[in-house]
Amino acid sequence: MTAAYDVVVVGSGSAGSTAAIAAARHGASVLLVEKLPFLGGTSTAVLDTFYGFYTPGSEAKKVVGGIADEVVAGLRRLGEVVERPNTYGAGTGVTYLAEHLKVVWEDLVTGSGAKVLLHAFVQDVEVSGGRVTGLVVATKAGLRRIEAKVVVDASGDADVCHFAGFGYELAGELAPAQTLTTTFRMTNVDVARRRQIAKDELHALMREAAESGEYDLPRREGSDHITPIGDMTATVMTRVEHVTRTDDGRIVNATDPEVLTRAEMEGRRQVLEYVRFLKDKVPGYEQAELVAMSTGIGLRETRRVYGDHRVTREEVLSATQFDDQIGLCGAPIEDHHGSTAGDGTGTTWVYLPDGQAVGIPLRSLVVRDSVNTLVAGRCFSATHDAHASIRSMAQCMAMGHAAGVAAALAVEKGGEVRDVAPGLVQDRLRADGAILEL
Ligand SMILES: Cc1cc2nc3c(=O)[nH]c(=O)nc-3n(C[C@H](O)[C@H](O)[C@H](O)COP(=O)(O)OP(=O)(O)OC[C@H]3O[C@@H](n4cnc5c(N)ncnc54)[C@H](O)[C@@H]3O)c2cc1C
C-alpha cells in the first residue's frame, strides 16, 4: 500500500511536531510519522521543562517565539505552567505537565491539517540520486510505503539519513558522547522541607552516600525540581554511558539495539537506587514515593547529520550571526559526559557572552548529501560542542518551525530544498512570530 504526501516528517518531538504544524499551515499536505503512541518525543516521554526560550545571565531576553509560544499557551489553557530559574544557569525554564503536552501537540498538529500516524516506525528509505523517494514504515498492519516530495528527518537519531546512506557523525566518534538519563518523578514530597537544603548540599549528600559504599550513584551532581503538582518533584539524576569502541575500531552507541536495551534496564535500575538515596538521606523525601519513570531513557545525542553548514563551538561562543539564520540560541554549552575522575562529576557549562545569542543557520538544516531532505532538532548539523548548546527544546521548536516552512516552500520548487531562498523562509518565519535576531 502506498500513500503520497508533499511533506513527510519523521519523528514528532519538539522539532518534528513543530515542523509538521508549520509545513501544513504553509500549504503542504503533511504526514507526521511517530513510533511512540503519542506525540512529543523527549518533551513528553522524558522531560517536563522547556529551556532555551530565554538567554541566561543578568537579563533574560526572549529568543524563541512563533509556534513555540502557541505550545506554551496551549499548556497554560490546560493547567498551571511554572516559570523557574535554572539552578545551573541555563536561563528561565518553563515547567509543564507532560500529560497535558501530549494533548497540546495533538491539537496543534491536527488543527494545522497535518495527518498523524502513531505506532509507525520508519525502518527503511528508498533513495535515487540523493532524493528520498519513499519511506518504508512498519505498522501493526504490516509494512506501508509512503512517498514524499520533501522529507524532514526529525527522528532525533537521524534514522532517515542513516537508512538513506547520507553522511552523519556518530556521537562518540570525534568527541566524548553525552551520557543518557532515565528521569523519574516522586510524589508526597515535603517541598518546603526539601527547599531547606541548597544544590551544593544535595550534591554533598550524594557524594557522602556514594563514598559510604551503601549506594551506587554514578552521578553525584544531578538535580530535582518542582512541578505544577504541589507535592511532586521531577529529577535529572541518573547517568548511563553508552559508547564503546569495538576491537576493529568501530564506535557503537545507543543507536545499537543491544546497547539501547541494556541502557534502558540500567537506567531503571539506577532510578530505584536514587529513590532509595532520596528517601533515606534528603530532607523532604522521607515519605515520598516513586510515581513514574520516563517512558524510555533520554538520549542527548546519537547521530548528527552533515549539513551544508556545521555549527561550531567557536561560532556558538562568539554568538555568530548568519545571513540565513532562522532562529537564535543563548543557552550555554551544557555537556553531560562521564566522570573521568570516577568521582561522579563530569557535567560542564561554558557560556556565551552575557545577553547574546548565536544564530542557527538554515544551511545547518539542509542535509549535505540530499536534494529533498531537511533535518531538524537534536540530529541537526553541528559539532559535539555546538550541539551541546543548541539542543534545548525551544531551539528544537525553532528549527522545526523553519524546516516546516522551508519544506512547504520547497514543494513549490519540485522538492528541491536548495532552490528555496533563505530570505523567503525568514520573511515567513517573522510573519509567524519567530524571533530571528535580538
Ligand atoms: C535527559 C535529558 C535531559 C534534558 N533536559 C532538557 C531540559 O530540561 N530542557 C530542554 O529544553 N532540553 C533538555 N534536553 C534536550 C532536549 O530534550 C532534546 O534535545 C530535544 O527534546 C530533542 O528534540 P527532538 O525533536 O530533536 O528529538 P526527540 O524529542 O528525541 O524526538 C524524536 C522523535 O522521533 C521518533 N522516532 C525516532 N526514530 C523514529 C523512526 N525510525 N520512526 C518513527 N519515529 C521515530 C521518536 O520516538 C521521537 O518521538 C534534555 C535531553 C535529555 C536526554
Side-chain angles (χ1 to χ4, degrees), residues 329-342:
C329 174
I333 295 176
E334 179 181 331
D335 196 352
H336 295 253
H337 45 88
S339 159
T340 43

Side-chain angles (χ1 to χ4, degrees), residues 11 16 23 40 86 94 123 143 173 222 228 277-278 297 334 378 421 437:
N86 177 268
V94 180
Q123 65 163 56
L143 297 183
E173 236 168 32
F277 155 75
L278 287 167
I297 197 162
E334 179 181 331
R378 67 179 169 85
E437 48 271 315

Side-chain angles (χ1 to χ4, degrees), residues 5 8-13 31-39 115-124 135-146 154-155 159-160 163:
Y5 293 84
V8 174
V9 180
V10 177
S12 74
L31 178 70
L32 176 59
V33 183
E34 170 55 53
K35 70 180 163 79
L36 295 176
F38 50 83
L39 300 181
K115 296 259 182 329
V116 175
L117 201 59
L118 296 175
H119 289 288
F121 192 103
V122 171
Q123 65 163 56
D124 205 0
L135 300 164
V136 180
V137 183
T139 74
K140 287 294 279 183
L143 297 183
R144 286 197 179 176
R145 185 173 176 278
I146 299 170
S155 64
D159 279 11
V160 173
F163 294 132

Side-chain angles (χ1 to χ4, degrees), residues 10-15 33-36 40-42 47 49-51 120-122 154-156 159 181 298-300 377-378 391-393 396:
V10 177
S12 74
S14 304
V33 183
E34 170 55 53
K35 70 180 163 79
L36 295 176
T42 307
L47 297 175
T49 301
F50 294 134
Y51 282 118
F121 192 103
V122 171
S155 64
D159 279 11
T181 297
L299 305 166
R300 292 184 172 88
R378 67 179 169 85
R391 67 190 174 91
S392 292
M393 292 191 278
C396 289

Side-chain angles (χ1 to χ4, degrees), residues 176-180 218-219 221 239-243 300 335-348 384:
Q178 298 223 36
T179 51
L180 317 179
R219 186 177 181 214
E221 47 177 24
R239 170 184 282 162
V240 179
E241 309 267 359
H242 62 120
V243 179
R300 292 184 172 88
D335 196 352
H336 295 253
H337 45 88
S339 159
T340 43
D343 60 358
T345 60
T347 310
T348 53
H384 167 81

Side-chain angles (χ1 to χ4, degrees), residues 39-370:
L39 300 181
T42 307
S43 75
T44 48
V46 182
L47 297 175
D48 68 353
T49 301
F50 294 134
Y51 282 118
F53 269 105
Y54 301 93
T55 56
S58 52
E59 186 199 343
K61 291 184 192 158
K62 193 158 182 292
V63 292
V64 174
I67 294 171
D69 282 344
E70 293 178 51
V71 174
V72 177
L75 286 164
R76 288 194 199 286
R77 276 195 292 278
L78 290 182
E80 198 188 340
V81 170
V82 188
E83 292 212 354
R84 57 184 182 86
N86 177 268
T87 43
Y88 294 88
T92 305
V94 180
T95 300
Y96 51 83
L97 205 58
E99 303 308 318
H100 282 168
L101 183 55
K102 290 175 182 170
V103 180
V104 170
W105 282 127
E106 283 168 8
D107 287 349
L108 285 170
V109 172
T110 56
S112 73
K115 296 259 182 329
V116 175
L117 201 59
L118 296 175
H119 289 288
F121 192 103
V122 171
Q123 65 163 56
D124 205 0
V125 174
E126 297 163 10
V127 197
S128 171
R131 180 179 297 277
V132 172
T133 52
L135 300 164
V136 180
V137 183
T139 74
K140 287 294 279 183
L143 297 183
R144 286 197 179 176
R145 185 173 176 278
I146 299 170
E147 290 177 355
K149 293 182 182 138
V150 181
V151 175
V152 179
D153 186 347
S155 64
D157 300 325
D159 279 11
V160 173
C161 292
H162 169 71
F163 294 132
F166 302 150
Y168 58 79
E169 179 189 334
L170 205 53
E173 236 168 32
L174 303 178
Q178 298 223 36
T179 51
L180 317 179
T181 297
T182 303
T183 61
F184 62 94
R185 281 164 266 164
M186 294 190 72
T187 53
N188 208 25
V189 179
D190 184 339
V191 171
R193 221 171 112 62
R194 164 64 189 89
R195 280 206 175 105
Q196 287 168 4
I197 66 160
K199 181 182 74 177
D200 291 348
E201 292 168 89
L202 173 67
H203 294 169
L205 291 175
M206 284 180 177
R207 275 196 308 277
E208 270 168 39
E211 283 160 14
S212 74
E214 286 172 41
Y215 299 85
D216 178 13
L217 309 177
R219 186 177 181 214
R220 293 159 215 165
E221 47 177 24
S223 61
D224 59 346
H225 60 260
I226 56 164
T227 70
I229 295 178
D231 67 353
M232 185 171 87
T233 59
T235 69
V236 181
M237 278 187 189
T238 67
R239 170 184 282 162
V240 179
E241 309 267 359
H242 62 120
V243 179
T244 51
R245 198 175 277 277
T246 59
D247 291 343
D248 58 354
R250 275 181 312 112
I251 287 289
V252 178
N253 73 12
T255 50
D256 176 274
E258 273 85 26
V259 172
L260 188 55
T261 301
R262 282 198 296 275
E264 293 285 8
M265 294 185 192
E266 168 61 13
R268 284 187 278 271
R269 187 196 68 78
Q270 286 188 21
V271 167
L272 296 189
E273 194 64 358
Y274 278 93
V275 166
R276 189 166 74 87
F277 155 75
L278 287 167
K279 285 171 68 88
D280 288 353
K281 301 289 180 190
V282 180
Y285 278 97
E286 295 87 350
Q287 305 302 320
E289 296 298 341
L290 174 69
V291 277
M293 302 187 197
S294 49
T295 307
I297 197 162
L299 305 166
R300 292 184 172 88
E301 59 164 350
T302 49
R303 300 184 183 116
R304 280 173 278 106
V305 170
Y306 285 109
D308 283 357
H309 181 87
R310 199 160 176 72
V311 186
T312 66
R313 175 187 177 93
E314 294 68 34
E315 286 167 344
V316 168
L317 293 180
S318 59
T320 302
Q321 303 299 294
F322 300 90
D323 287 346
D324 65 336
Q325 69 193 41
I326 47 76
L328 291 170
C329 174
I333 295 176
E334 179 181 331
D335 196 352
H336 295 253
H337 45 88
S339 159
T340 43
D343 60 358
T345 60
T347 310
T348 53
W349 285 265
V350 185
Y351 286 86
L352 280 70
D354 191 23
Q356 294 191 34
V358 61
I360 306 170
L362 180 60
R363 284 166 298 148
S364 66
L365 309 185
V366 176
V367 176
R368 184 193 66 187
D369 300 335
S370 178

